[in-house]
Amino acid sequence: MKRNTKHGFTILEMLLVIAISASIVVIFIPTLSSFRGDYALRATTADVVSLLHEARMQTLSSMNRMQYGVYFETGRAVLFPGSVFTEPNAQNKEIVFPNDVRIPPVGGISLSSGSTVVFKRLSGETDSSGTITLERINNSSHTKTITILKTGIVSSQ
């Protein structure tokens, strides 16, 4: 008796595997995209908080006998020397936000003195207390808020 032992897959089996794989990918892409966007928002918030801490520490240490501040725009934050933001300046340190994160154009910058935070020498205090809000461009319900107290202390939520 001769057995017919063919090995391999039929076209129908291959199409079924491809269809199942495509369905799984379609289900998980939005989840992965959301995760990536939330990560970018958290990382950008941490970068901005770090930049504010750096400006305050440089001011408190009287680096170059100057005070330092941070200037905010919709898509970036810039650490600058002195009491007034000027551009271009080789000493400026800029953080450009990822494409899917921004400061909302309306209400995103809520500081008592415009869009800059400048720290005072010796005390580290600021006259620019308030909040900076970062949001995901594709999902504005996902936000992070950075709070700057008059004492110069910075925190995020």
Side-chain angles (χ1 to χ4, degrees):
M1 190 182 274
K2 185 177 176 185
R3 288 189 176 184
N4 190 2
T5 57
K6 293 184 180 179
H7 299 287
F9 300 104
T10 66
I11 290 180
L12 183 59
E13 290 171 329
M14 292 297 286
L15 288 174
L16 184 62
V17 168
I18 291 171
I20 291 171
S21 299
S23 298
I24 290 171
V25 167
V26 166
I27 291 170
F28 287 110
I29 281 180
T31 303
L32 293 174
S33 177
S34 177
F35 176 76
R36 188 178 136 291
D38 288 344
Y39 175 79
L41 179 62
R42 285 191 308 272
T44 303
T45 302
D47 289 346
V48 171
V49 168
S50 178
L51 196 67
L52 285 159
H53 284 301
E54 184 178 346
R56 186 168 188 257
M57 290 300 109
Q58 287 179 354
T59 300
L60 283 171
S61 68
S62 294
M63 186 172 169
N64 298 324
R65 297 182 182 164
M66 300 183 83
Q67 61 189 118
Y68 291 81
V70 178
Y71 169 76
F72 295 97
E73 284 182 1
T74 299
R76 69 183 184 141
V78 183
L79 185 150
F80 63 92
S83 59
V84 178
F85 173 70
T86 56
E87 200 170 42
N89 185 335
Q91 294 178 338
N92 288 354
K93 179 179 178 182
E94 179 181 60
I95 294 175
V96 177
F97 302 158
N99 292 336
D100 52 351
V101 176
R102 70 174 179 181
I103 296 174
V106 177
I109 301 172
S110 182
L111 300 172
S112 55
S113 63
S115 57
T116 60
V117 175
V118 178
F119 297 98
K120 297 177 183 177
R121 288 179 67 191
L122 302 178
S123 69
E125 294 177 348
T126 183
D127 292 330
S128 304
S129 59
T131 61
I132 302 292
T133 302
L134 297 170
E135 72 177 5
R136 287 190 45 206
I137 291 175
N138 297 334
N139 189 346
S140 61
S141 67
H142 289 223
T143 63
K144 291 284 186 183
T145 302
I146 299 167
T147 304
I148 302 130
L149 301 177
K150 187 168 179 50
T151 59
I153 302 297
V154 178
S155 63
S156 67
Q157 304 169 12

